[in-house]
Amino acid sequence: MLGKTALIDAIAGTNRGLLATEAQKQAILAAIANLEDNNPTPRPLEAKELLDGNWRLLYTTSQGILNLDRLPFCKLGQIYQCIRVETTRVYNIAEIYGFPYLEGLVSVAAKFEPVSHRRVQVKFERSIIGLQRLIEYNSPATFIQQIEAGKKFPAIDYAINNNRQEGWLDITYIDNDLRIGRGNEGNVFVLSKT
């Protein structure tokens, strides 16, 4: 699809949005809007087989995510959003790199509830922040299995009980390997299926 190619080309070299100029941001938003207007899956929450799985972040406007790269001595590695439709859970995982042997991980687990054919309400439940080596982090899939098994990690691992830690996400485009979402804070997210 030409629209997907245009979006991927526009995103190239922006390091998920960290390096995007204003002109690039506008081009990316235009390419996103074009894809959203031609969404092959108008009822994305009914396409569970497309939604379910591990997604890697290609681009975002979320400063909350991008600011992780601005921590002293840290660089943002891969960022994943792993959706488990069967259990209505979502896991956001950001890999952080800096000094050798001090690679970190910032993760948030949440429960989601569909509220329309494309919107989910998200309630954040648990945060895990720590060193990949101490957590024994190998991949998003094994990490999520450990979370789902109830493992407590040697990290900053705490329950989120604040009702203000909620939000919503509209899935505005989804196909076999690309997903676009827009969040309640006005952020846009472009992800590819891994």
Short mmCIF file of all heavy atoms in Angstrom, two decimals, residues 37-105:
data_model
loop_
_atom_site.label_atom_id
_atom_site.label_comp_id
_atom_site.label_asym_id
_atom_site.label_seq_id
_atom_site.Cartn_x
_atom_site.Cartn_y
_atom_site.Cartn_z
N ASP A 37 -7.75 7.43 7.05
CA ASP A 37 -8.90 7.60 6.16
C ASP A 37 -9.16 6.36 5.32
O ASP A 37 -10.26 6.18 4.79
CB ASP A 37 -8.68 8.80 5.22
CG ASP A 37 -8.79 10.13 5.95
OD1 ASP A 37 -9.32 10.17 7.08
OD2 ASP A 37 -8.31 11.14 5.38
N ASN A 38 -8.16 5.50 5.19
CA ASN A 38 -8.27 4.29 4.37
C ASN A 38 -8.06 3.03 5.21
O ASN A 38 -7.50 2.05 4.72
CB ASN A 38 -7.26 4.35 3.22
CG ASN A 38 -7.54 5.50 2.29
OD1 ASN A 38 -8.54 5.51 1.60
ND2 ASN A 38 -6.67 6.51 2.30
N ASN A 39 -8.49 3.06 6.45
CA ASN A 39 -8.30 1.94 7.37
C ASN A 39 -9.02 0.70 6.82
O ASN A 39 -10.23 0.71 6.64
CB ASN A 39 -8.85 2.30 8.75
CG ASN A 39 -8.58 1.24 9.79
OD1 ASN A 39 -7.95 0.23 9.51
ND2 ASN A 39 -9.06 1.47 10.99
N PRO A 40 -8.29 -0.40 6.56
CA PRO A 40 -8.93 -1.61 6.05
C PRO A 40 -9.73 -2.35 7.12
O PRO A 40 -10.45 -3.30 6.81
CB PRO A 40 -7.74 -2.46 5.59
CG PRO A 40 -6.62 -2.03 6.47
CD PRO A 40 -6.84 -0.55 6.72
N THR A 41 -9.60 -1.92 8.38
CA THR A 41 -10.28 -2.58 9.49
C THR A 41 -11.06 -1.54 10.28
O THR A 41 -10.60 -1.03 11.31
CB THR A 41 -9.24 -3.29 10.40
OG1 THR A 41 -8.30 -3.98 9.59
CG2 THR A 41 -9.89 -4.27 11.35
N PRO A 42 -12.26 -1.17 9.83
CA PRO A 42 -13.00 -0.09 10.47
C PRO A 42 -13.47 -0.40 11.90
O PRO A 42 -13.75 0.52 12.66
CB PRO A 42 -14.19 0.15 9.54
CG PRO A 42 -14.29 -1.06 8.69
CD PRO A 42 -12.94 -1.68 8.65
N ARG A 43 -13.50 -1.68 12.27
CA ARG A 43 -13.89 -2.07 13.63
C ARG A 43 -12.72 -2.86 14.24
O ARG A 43 -12.80 -4.07 14.40
CB ARG A 43 -15.18 -2.89 13.61
CG ARG A 43 -16.35 -2.11 12.96
CD ARG A 43 -17.62 -2.91 12.92
NE ARG A 43 -18.27 -3.01 14.21
CZ ARG A 43 -19.04 -2.07 14.74
NH1 ARG A 43 -19.26 -0.96 14.10
NH2 ARG A 43 -19.59 -2.26 15.93
N PRO A 44 -11.63 -2.16 14.58
CA PRO A 44 -10.39 -2.84 14.98
C PRO A 44 -10.52 -3.74 16.20
O PRO A 44 -9.84 -4.75 16.28
CB PRO A 44 -9.41 -1.71 15.22
CG PRO A 44 -10.20 -0.47 15.25
CD PRO A 44 -11.50 -0.71 14.58
N LEU A 45 -11.39 -3.41 17.13
CA LEU A 45 -11.48 -4.24 18.33
C LEU A 45 -12.17 -5.58 18.07
O LEU A 45 -12.06 -6.50 18.87
CB LEU A 45 -12.18 -3.48 19.45
CG LEU A 45 -11.37 -2.28 19.96
CD1 LEU A 45 -12.14 -1.51 21.01
CD2 LEU A 45 -10.02 -2.72 20.50
N GLU A 46 -12.83 -5.69 16.93
CA GLU A 46 -13.42 -6.97 16.55
C GLU A 46 -12.41 -7.85 15.82
O GLU A 46 -12.63 -9.05 15.66
CB GLU A 46 -14.66 -6.74 15.68
CG GLU A 46 -15.79 -6.09 16.46
CD GLU A 46 -16.99 -5.76 15.59
OE1 GLU A 46 -17.04 -6.19 14.41
OE2 GLU A 46 -17.87 -5.05 16.10
N ALA A 47 -11.30 -7.26 15.37
CA ALA A 47 -10.25 -8.00 14.66
C ALA A 47 -9.20 -8.45 15.66
O ALA A 47 -8.04 -8.04 15.62
CB ALA A 47 -9.64 -7.12 13.58
N LYS A 48 -9.62 -9.31 16.57
CA LYS A 48 -8.75 -9.72 17.68
C LYS A 48 -7.45 -10.37 17.21
O LYS A 48 -6.41 -10.18 17.82
CB LYS A 48 -9.52 -10.65 18.61
CG LYS A 48 -10.68 -9.96 19.29
CD LYS A 48 -11.47 -10.88 20.17
CE LYS A 48 -12.60 -10.08 20.80
NZ LYS A 48 -13.41 -10.86 21.70
N GLU A 49 -7.51 -11.13 16.11
CA GLU A 49 -6.30 -11.79 15.62
C GLU A 49 -5.28 -10.78 15.11
O GLU A 49 -4.08 -11.03 15.16
CB GLU A 49 -6.63 -12.81 14.52
CG GLU A 49 -7.07 -12.20 13.19
CD GLU A 49 -8.46 -11.57 13.17
OE1 GLU A 49 -9.25 -11.77 14.11
OE2 GLU A 49 -8.75 -10.86 12.19
N LEU A 50 -5.73 -9.61 14.66
CA LEU A 50 -4.80 -8.56 14.25
C LEU A 50 -4.24 -7.82 15.45
O LEU A 50 -3.06 -7.51 15.51
CB LEU A 50 -5.50 -7.55 13.32
CG LEU A 50 -5.96 -8.05 11.96
CD1 LEU A 50 -6.66 -6.92 11.19
CD2 LEU A 50 -4.80 -8.60 11.15
N LEU A 51 -5.09 -7.54 16.41
CA LEU A 51 -4.71 -6.73 17.57
C LEU A 51 -3.77 -7.47 18.52
O LEU A 51 -2.82 -6.91 19.04
CB LEU A 51 -5.97 -6.29 18.30
CG LEU A 51 -5.82 -5.31 19.44
CD1 LEU A 51 -5.15 -4.03 18.97
CD2 LEU A 51 -7.19 -5.00 20.04
N ASP A 52 -4.04 -8.75 18.72
CA ASP A 52 -3.28 -9.55 19.69
C ASP A 52 -1.83 -9.72 19.24
O ASP A 52 -1.55 -9.93 18.07
CB ASP A 52 -3.93 -10.92 19.84
CG ASP A 52 -3.43 -11.65 21.06
OD1 ASP A 52 -3.79 -11.24 22.17
OD2 ASP A 52 -2.68 -12.63 20.90
N GLY A 53 -0.91 -9.60 20.18
CA GLY A 53 0.49 -9.86 19.87
C GLY A 53 1.41 -8.77 20.40
O GLY A 53 1.02 -7.90 21.17
N ASN A 54 2.66 -8.85 19.98
CA ASN A 54 3.70 -7.91 20.40
C ASN A 54 3.94 -6.90 19.30
O ASN A 54 4.17 -7.26 18.15
CB ASN A 54 4.99 -8.65 20.73
CG ASN A 54 4.80 -9.62 21.88
OD1 ASN A 54 3.87 -9.51 22.67
ND2 ASN A 54 5.68 -10.59 21.98
N TRP A 55 3.91 -5.64 19.68
CA TRP A 55 4.07 -4.53 18.75
C TRP A 55 5.28 -3.70 19.16
O TRP A 55 5.49 -3.44 20.34
CB TRP A 55 2.82 -3.65 18.77
CG TRP A 55 1.58 -4.35 18.29
CD1 TRP A 55 0.75 -5.15 19.03
CD2 TRP A 55 1.03 -4.31 16.98
NE1 TRP A 55 -0.28 -5.60 18.26
CE2 TRP A 55 -0.14 -5.10 16.99
CE3 TRP A 55 1.42 -3.67 15.81
CZ2 TRP A 55 -0.92 -5.27 15.86
CZ3 TRP A 55 0.63 -3.84 14.67
CH2 TRP A 55 -0.53 -4.64 14.71
N ARG A 56 6.07 -3.27 18.18
CA ARG A 56 7.25 -2.44 18.43
C ARG A 56 6.94 -1.02 17.98
O ARG A 56 6.43 -0.79 16.89
CB ARG A 56 8.45 -3.00 17.67
CG ARG A 56 9.76 -2.28 17.95
CD ARG A 56 10.93 -2.99 17.28
NE ARG A 56 10.74 -3.21 15.87
CZ ARG A 56 11.03 -2.32 14.92
NH1 ARG A 56 11.53 -1.15 15.23
NH2 ARG A 56 10.83 -2.62 13.65
N LEU A 57 7.27 -0.06 18.84
CA LEU A 57 7.00 1.35 18.54
C LEU A 57 7.93 1.85 17.45
O LEU A 57 9.15 1.73 17.55
CB LEU A 57 7.19 2.19 19.80
CG LEU A 57 6.82 3.67 19.66
CD1 LEU A 57 5.32 3.84 19.52
CD2 LEU A 57 7.34 4.46 20.84
N LEU A 58 7.35 2.42 16.40
CA LEU A 58 8.11 3.03 15.32
C LEU A 58 8.18 4.55 15.46
O LEU A 58 9.17 5.18 15.10
CB LEU A 58 7.48 2.71 13.96
CG LEU A 58 7.37 1.25 13.56
CD1 LEU A 58 6.66 1.12 12.22
CD2 LEU A 58 8.74 0.60 13.52
N TYR A 59 7.09 5.14 15.99
CA TYR A 59 7.02 6.60 16.09
C TYR A 59 5.97 6.98 17.12
O TYR A 59 4.94 6.32 17.24
CB TYR A 59 6.62 7.20 14.73
CG TYR A 59 6.50 8.70 14.77
CD1 TYR A 59 7.62 9.51 14.62
CD2 TYR A 59 5.27 9.31 14.96
CE1 TYR A 59 7.51 10.89 14.68
CE2 TYR A 59 5.15 10.69 15.01
CZ TYR A 59 6.27 11.48 14.87
OH TYR A 59 6.17 12.85 14.94
N THR A 60 6.26 8.06 17.86
CA THR A 60 5.27 8.62 18.78
C THR A 60 5.52 10.11 18.97
O THR A 60 6.64 10.59 18.74
CB THR A 60 5.28 7.91 20.15
OG1 THR A 60 4.17 8.39 20.92
CG2 THR A 60 6.58 8.15 20.90
N THR A 61 4.47 10.78 19.39
CA THR A 61 4.60 12.19 19.80
C THR A 61 4.58 12.30 21.33
O THR A 61 4.64 13.40 21.86
CB THR A 61 3.46 13.04 19.21
OG1 THR A 61 2.20 12.48 19.61
CG2 THR A 61 3.54 13.09 17.69
N SER A 62 4.50 11.17 22.02
CA SER A 62 4.41 11.16 23.49
C SER A 62 5.74 11.57 24.13
O SER A 62 6.73 10.84 24.06
CB SER A 62 4.03 9.76 23.98
OG SER A 62 4.17 9.68 25.39
N GLN A 63 5.74 12.73 24.76
CA GLN A 63 6.95 13.19 25.44
C GLN A 63 7.27 12.32 26.65
O GLN A 63 8.42 12.16 27.02
CB GLN A 63 6.82 14.66 25.83
CG GLN A 63 6.85 15.60 24.63
CD GLN A 63 8.08 15.41 23.77
OE1 GLN A 63 9.21 15.47 24.24
NE2 GLN A 63 7.87 15.16 22.48
N GLY A 64 6.24 11.74 27.26
CA GLY A 64 6.48 10.84 28.39
C GLY A 64 7.37 9.67 28.00
O GLY A 64 8.23 9.25 28.78
N ILE A 65 7.18 9.16 26.81
CA ILE A 65 8.02 8.06 26.32
C ILE A 65 9.36 8.59 25.83
O ILE A 65 10.42 8.09 26.20
CB ILE A 65 7.31 7.29 25.19
CG1 ILE A 65 6.09 6.57 25.75
CG2 ILE A 65 8.26 6.31 24.51
CD1 ILE A 65 5.21 5.94 24.69
N LEU A 66 9.32 9.62 25.01
CA LEU A 66 10.56 10.14 24.41
C LEU A 66 11.51 10.71 25.45
O LEU A 66 12.73 10.66 25.28
CB LEU A 66 10.23 11.18 23.34
CG LEU A 66 9.43 10.65 22.14
CD1 LEU A 66 9.08 11.79 21.19
CD2 LEU A 66 10.18 9.55 21.42
N ASN A 67 10.98 11.23 26.55
CA ASN A 67 11.84 11.80 27.60
C ASN A 67 12.68 10.76 28.31
O ASN A 67 13.66 11.10 28.97
CB ASN A 67 11.02 12.60 28.61
CG ASN A 67 10.64 13.97 28.07
OD1 ASN A 67 11.26 14.49 27.14
ND2 ASN A 67 9.61 14.57 28.66
N LEU A 68 12.33 9.47 28.18
CA LEU A 68 13.17 8.42 28.77
C LEU A 68 14.57 8.46 28.15
O LEU A 68 15.54 8.09 28.80
CB LEU A 68 12.55 7.04 28.54
CG LEU A 68 11.27 6.73 29.32
CD1 LEU A 68 10.68 5.39 28.86
CD2 LEU A 68 11.51 6.73 30.81
N ASP A 69 14.67 8.95 26.92
CA ASP A 69 15.96 9.04 26.25
C ASP A 69 16.80 10.21 26.79
O ASP A 69 17.98 10.28 26.54
CB ASP A 69 15.77 9.21 24.74
CG ASP A 69 17.06 8.98 23.97
OD1 ASP A 69 17.49 7.82 23.90
OD2 ASP A 69 17.63 9.96 23.46
N ARG A 70 16.17 11.09 27.52
CA ARG A 70 16.86 12.28 28.00
C ARG A 70 17.39 12.12 29.43
O ARG A 70 17.93 13.06 29.99
CB ARG A 70 15.95 13.48 27.88
CG ARG A 70 15.66 13.80 26.41
CD ARG A 70 14.76 15.00 26.24
NE ARG A 70 14.61 15.32 24.84
CZ ARG A 70 13.62 14.92 24.05
NH1 ARG A 70 12.69 14.13 24.56
NH2 ARG A 70 13.55 15.27 22.79
N LEU A 71 17.20 10.94 30.02
CA LEU A 71 17.77 10.69 31.34
C LEU A 71 19.29 10.67 31.23
O LEU A 71 19.83 10.22 30.22
CB LEU A 71 17.27 9.35 31.89
CG LEU A 71 15.77 9.24 32.17
CD1 LEU A 71 15.41 7.80 32.49
CD2 LEU A 71 15.36 10.17 33.31
N PRO A 72 20.00 11.14 32.26
CA PRO A 72 21.47 11.14 32.19
C PRO A 72 22.02 9.74 31.93
O PRO A 72 21.59 8.77 32.55
CB PRO A 72 21.88 11.64 33.58
CG PRO A 72 20.69 12.34 34.12
CD PRO A 72 19.49 11.69 33.51
N PHE A 73 22.97 9.66 31.01
CA PHE A 73 23.69 8.42 30.69
C PHE A 73 22.79 7.31 30.15
O PHE A 73 23.17 6.14 30.17
CB PHE A 73 24.47 7.90 31.92
CG PHE A 73 25.30 8.95 32.58
CD1 PHE A 73 24.96 9.45 33.83
CD2 PHE A 73 26.41 9.48 31.93
CE1 PHE A 73 25.73 10.42 34.43
CE2 PHE A 73 27.17 10.46 32.52
CZ PHE A 73 26.84 10.94 33.78
N CYS A 74 21.61 7.65 29.68
CA CYS A 74 20.67 6.64 29.19
C CYS A 74 20.29 6.89 27.75
O CYS A 74 20.19 8.02 27.30
CB CYS A 74 19.40 6.63 30.03
SG CYS A 74 19.66 6.07 31.71
N LYS A 75 20.07 5.79 27.03
CA LYS A 75 19.55 5.84 25.67
C LYS A 75 18.38 4.88 25.59
O LYS A 75 18.42 3.78 26.14
CB LYS A 75 20.62 5.43 24.65
CG LYS A 75 21.64 6.50 24.40
CD LYS A 75 21.01 7.63 23.62
CE LYS A 75 21.84 8.89 23.72
NZ LYS A 75 21.08 10.10 23.68
N LEU A 76 17.37 5.32 24.90
CA LEU A 76 16.16 4.52 24.73
C LEU A 76 16.42 3.41 23.72
O LEU A 76 16.85 3.67 22.60
CB LEU A 76 15.05 5.44 24.24
CG LEU A 76 13.62 5.03 24.38
CD1 LEU A 76 13.29 4.54 25.78
CD2 LEU A 76 12.71 6.19 24.01
N GLY A 77 16.18 2.18 24.15
CA GLY A 77 16.27 1.04 23.25
C GLY A 77 14.92 0.79 22.60
O GLY A 77 14.16 1.73 22.34
N GLN A 78 14.59 -0.47 22.37
CA GLN A 78 13.31 -0.81 21.77
C GLN A 78 12.18 -0.56 22.78
O GLN A 78 12.36 -0.69 23.99
CB GLN A 78 13.28 -2.27 21.33
CG GLN A 78 14.25 -2.60 20.23
CD GLN A 78 13.96 -1.86 18.93
OE1 GLN A 78 12.84 -1.45 18.65
NE2 GLN A 78 15.00 -1.66 18.14
N ILE A 79 11.03 -0.21 22.22
CA ILE A 79 9.83 0.00 23.03
C ILE A 79 8.75 -0.91 22.45
O ILE A 79 8.52 -0.93 21.24
CB ILE A 79 9.37 1.46 22.98
CG1 ILE A 79 10.48 2.38 23.48
CG2 ILE A 79 8.09 1.66 23.80
CD1 ILE A 79 10.22 3.85 23.22
N TYR A 80 8.12 -1.67 23.34
CA TYR A 80 7.10 -2.62 22.92
C TYR A 80 5.78 -2.34 23.61
O TYR A 80 5.74 -1.88 24.75
CB TYR A 80 7.52 -4.05 23.27
CG TYR A 80 8.78 -4.49 22.60
CD1 TYR A 80 10.01 -4.40 23.26
CD2 TYR A 80 8.77 -5.00 21.31
CE1 TYR A 80 11.18 -4.80 22.65
CE2 TYR A 80 9.94 -5.41 20.69
CZ TYR A 80 11.14 -5.30 21.36
OH TYR A 80 12.30 -5.71 20.75
N GLN A 81 4.70 -2.63 22.89
CA GLN A 81 3.39 -2.69 23.49
C GLN A 81 2.85 -4.07 23.15
O GLN A 81 2.68 -4.40 21.97
CB GLN A 81 2.46 -1.60 22.97
CG GLN A 81 1.13 -1.61 23.69
CD GLN A 81 0.27 -0.44 23.31
OE1 GLN A 81 -0.25 -0.39 22.21
NE2 GLN A 81 0.15 0.51 24.22
N CYS A 82 2.64 -4.87 24.17
CA CYS A 82 2.23 -6.25 23.99
C CYS A 82 0.79 -6.39 24.45
O CYS A 82 0.47 -6.13 25.61
CB CYS A 82 3.15 -7.17 24.78
SG CYS A 82 4.90 -6.92 24.36
N ILE A 83 -0.06 -6.79 23.52
CA ILE A 83 -1.50 -6.86 23.78
C ILE A 83 -1.91 -8.32 23.88
O ILE A 83 -1.59 -9.13 23.00
CB ILE A 83 -2.29 -6.15 22.67
CG1 ILE A 83 -1.90 -4.67 22.64
CG2 ILE A 83 -3.80 -6.32 22.89
CD1 ILE A 83 -2.50 -3.90 21.50
N ARG A 84 -2.61 -8.63 24.96
CA ARG A 84 -3.15 -9.96 25.18
C ARG A 84 -4.67 -9.83 25.20
O ARG A 84 -5.26 -9.51 26.23
CB ARG A 84 -2.63 -10.58 26.49
CG ARG A 84 -1.10 -10.68 26.58
CD ARG A 84 -0.54 -11.57 25.49
NE ARG A 84 0.89 -11.74 25.57
CZ ARG A 84 1.76 -11.13 24.77
NH1 ARG A 84 1.34 -10.29 23.84
NH2 ARG A 84 3.06 -11.34 24.88
N VAL A 85 -5.30 -10.04 24.05
CA VAL A 85 -6.74 -9.84 23.90
C VAL A 85 -7.52 -10.75 24.83
O VAL A 85 -8.50 -10.34 25.45
CB VAL A 85 -7.17 -10.04 22.43
CG1 VAL A 85 -8.67 -10.04 22.29
CG2 VAL A 85 -6.54 -8.96 21.55
N GLU A 86 -7.08 -12.00 24.93
CA GLU A 86 -7.81 -13.00 25.73
C GLU A 86 -7.98 -12.56 27.19
O GLU A 86 -9.02 -12.78 27.78
CB GLU A 86 -7.07 -14.34 25.66
CG GLU A 86 -7.83 -15.50 26.24
CD GLU A 86 -9.05 -15.89 25.40
OE1 GLU A 86 -9.03 -15.72 24.17
OE2 GLU A 86 -10.02 -16.37 26.00
N THR A 87 -6.96 -11.93 27.76
CA THR A 87 -7.01 -11.51 29.16
C THR A 87 -7.24 -10.00 29.31
O THR A 87 -7.21 -9.49 30.42
CB THR A 87 -5.70 -11.89 29.88
OG1 THR A 87 -4.59 -11.29 29.20
CG2 THR A 87 -5.52 -13.40 29.94
N THR A 88 -7.47 -9.32 28.20
CA THR A 88 -7.64 -7.86 28.15
C THR A 88 -6.53 -7.13 28.92
O THR A 88 -6.78 -6.24 29.71
CB THR A 88 -9.03 -7.40 28.63
OG1 THR A 88 -9.23 -7.76 30.00
CG2 THR A 88 -10.14 -7.97 27.77
N ARG A 89 -5.31 -7.51 28.63
CA ARG A 89 -4.14 -6.90 29.26
C ARG A 89 -3.23 -6.30 28.20
O ARG A 89 -3.14 -6.79 27.08
CB ARG A 89 -3.36 -7.92 30.06
CG ARG A 89 -4.16 -8.52 31.18
CD ARG A 89 -3.36 -8.52 32.47
NE ARG A 89 -4.18 -8.97 33.56
CZ ARG A 89 -4.77 -8.16 34.42
NH1 ARG A 89 -4.61 -6.88 34.34
NH2 ARG A 89 -5.51 -8.64 35.40
N VAL A 90 -2.53 -5.25 28.61
CA VAL A 90 -1.55 -4.63 27.75
C VAL A 90 -0.30 -4.37 28.60
O VAL A 90 -0.40 -4.01 29.78
CB VAL A 90 -2.09 -3.33 27.09
CG1 VAL A 90 -2.48 -2.30 28.12
CG2 VAL A 90 -1.11 -2.77 26.10
N TYR A 91 0.85 -4.59 27.99
CA TYR A 91 2.14 -4.42 28.67
C TYR A 91 2.99 -3.47 27.83
O TYR A 91 3.27 -3.75 26.67
CB TYR A 91 2.85 -5.76 28.83
CG TYR A 91 2.04 -6.77 29.59
CD1 TYR A 91 1.18 -7.64 28.93
CD2 TYR A 91 2.12 -6.84 30.97
CE1 TYR A 91 0.41 -8.56 29.63
CE2 TYR A 91 1.36 -7.76 31.68
CZ TYR A 91 0.51 -8.61 31.01
OH TYR A 91 -0.25 -9.53 31.71
N ASN A 92 3.37 -2.34 28.42
CA ASN A 92 4.27 -1.40 27.77
C ASN A 92 5.66 -1.63 28.34
O ASN A 92 5.85 -1.60 29.57
CB ASN A 92 3.83 0.04 28.02
CG ASN A 92 2.48 0.33 27.39
OD1 ASN A 92 2.14 -0.21 26.35
ND2 ASN A 92 1.71 1.19 28.02
N ILE A 93 6.63 -1.87 27.47
CA ILE A 93 7.99 -2.20 27.91
C ILE A 93 8.98 -1.34 27.14
O ILE A 93 9.01 -1.37 25.91
CB ILE A 93 8.30 -3.70 27.64
CG1 ILE A 93 7.30 -4.60 28.39
CG2 ILE A 93 9.74 -4.02 28.02
CD1 ILE A 93 7.35 -6.05 27.96
N ALA A 94 9.79 -0.58 27.88
CA ALA A 94 10.84 0.24 27.27
C ALA A 94 12.19 -0.26 27.76
O ALA A 94 12.44 -0.35 28.97
CB ALA A 94 10.67 1.71 27.63
N GLU A 95 13.05 -0.61 26.81
CA GLU A 95 14.41 -1.05 27.14
C GLU A 95 15.30 0.19 27.16
O GLU A 95 15.26 1.02 26.26
CB GLU A 95 14.90 -2.05 26.10
CG GLU A 95 14.06 -3.32 26.05
CD GLU A 95 14.41 -4.22 24.88
OE1 GLU A 95 15.18 -3.80 24.00
OE2 GLU A 95 13.90 -5.36 24.85
N ILE A 96 16.10 0.32 28.22
CA ILE A 96 16.97 1.48 28.41
C ILE A 96 18.42 0.99 28.42
O ILE A 96 18.75 0.00 29.07
CB ILE A 96 16.68 2.19 29.76
CG1 ILE A 96 15.19 2.50 29.92
CG2 ILE A 96 17.53 3.45 29.90
CD1 ILE A 96 14.65 3.53 28.97
N TYR A 97 19.30 1.72 27.70
CA TYR A 97 20.71 1.35 27.63
C TYR A 97 21.57 2.52 28.09
O TYR A 97 21.22 3.67 27.90
CB TYR A 97 21.09 0.93 26.20
CG TYR A 97 20.35 -0.32 25.82
CD1 TYR A 97 19.13 -0.25 25.16
CD2 TYR A 97 20.84 -1.57 26.18
CE1 TYR A 97 18.42 -1.41 24.86
CE2 TYR A 97 20.14 -2.72 25.87
CZ TYR A 97 18.93 -2.64 25.22
OH TYR A 97 18.23 -3.78 24.93
N GLY A 98 22.68 2.21 28.71
CA GLY A 98 23.61 3.22 29.17
C GLY A 98 24.95 2.57 29.37
O GLY A 98 25.56 2.08 28.44
N PHE A 99 25.37 2.50 30.62
CA PHE A 99 26.63 1.86 30.93
C PHE A 99 26.52 0.35 30.75
O PHE A 99 25.47 -0.24 31.01
CB PHE A 99 27.04 2.17 32.38
CG PHE A 99 27.37 3.61 32.61
CD1 PHE A 99 26.57 4.39 33.42
CD2 PHE A 99 28.49 4.19 32.01
CE1 PHE A 99 26.87 5.72 33.62
CE2 PHE A 99 28.79 5.51 32.21
CZ PHE A 99 27.98 6.29 33.02
N PRO A 100 27.58 -0.32 30.31
CA PRO A 100 27.54 -1.78 30.19
C PRO A 100 27.13 -2.43 31.51
O PRO A 100 27.53 -1.98 32.58
CB PRO A 100 28.98 -2.15 29.81
CG PRO A 100 29.54 -0.90 29.20
CD PRO A 100 28.87 0.25 29.92
N TYR A 101 26.33 -3.46 31.42
CA TYR A 101 25.80 -4.23 32.55
C TYR A 101 24.77 -3.46 33.38
O TYR A 101 24.28 -3.97 34.37
CB TYR A 101 26.93 -4.74 33.46
CG TYR A 101 27.97 -5.51 32.72
CD1 TYR A 101 29.22 -4.96 32.46
CD2 TYR A 101 27.69 -6.78 32.24
CE1 TYR A 101 30.17 -5.67 31.75
CE2 TYR A 101 28.64 -7.49 31.52
CZ TYR A 101 29.88 -6.94 31.28
OH TYR A 101 30.82 -7.64 30.57
N LEU A 102 24.45 -2.24 32.99
CA LEU A 102 23.45 -1.47 33.72
C LEU A 102 22.24 -1.15 32.83
O LEU A 102 21.59 -0.13 33.00
CB LEU A 102 24.06 -0.17 34.28
CG LEU A 102 25.15 -0.36 35.32
CD1 LEU A 102 25.70 0.98 35.77
CD2 LEU A 102 24.64 -1.15 36.53
N GLU A 103 21.97 -2.04 31.87
CA GLU A 103 20.82 -1.84 31.01
C GLU A 103 19.55 -1.92 31.85
O GLU A 103 19.42 -2.78 32.72
CB GLU A 103 20.77 -2.91 29.91
CG GLU A 103 21.92 -2.84 28.94
CD GLU A 103 23.18 -3.57 29.41
OE1 GLU A 103 23.14 -4.23 30.48
OE2 GLU A 103 24.20 -3.49 28.71
N GLY A 104 18.62 -1.03 31.58
CA GLY A 104 17.42 -0.96 32.38
C GLY A 104 16.16 -1.33 31.63
O GLY A 104 16.17 -1.63 30.43
N LEU A 105 15.08 -1.30 32.39
CA LEU A 105 13.77 -1.64 31.85
C LEU A 105 12.74 -0.81 32.58
O LEU A 105 12.77 -0.70 33.81
CB LEU A 105 13.51 -3.13 32.08
CG LEU A 105 12.27 -3.72 31.44
CD1 LEU A 105 12.52 -3.91 29.94
CD2 LEU A 105 11.93 -5.05 32.06
#
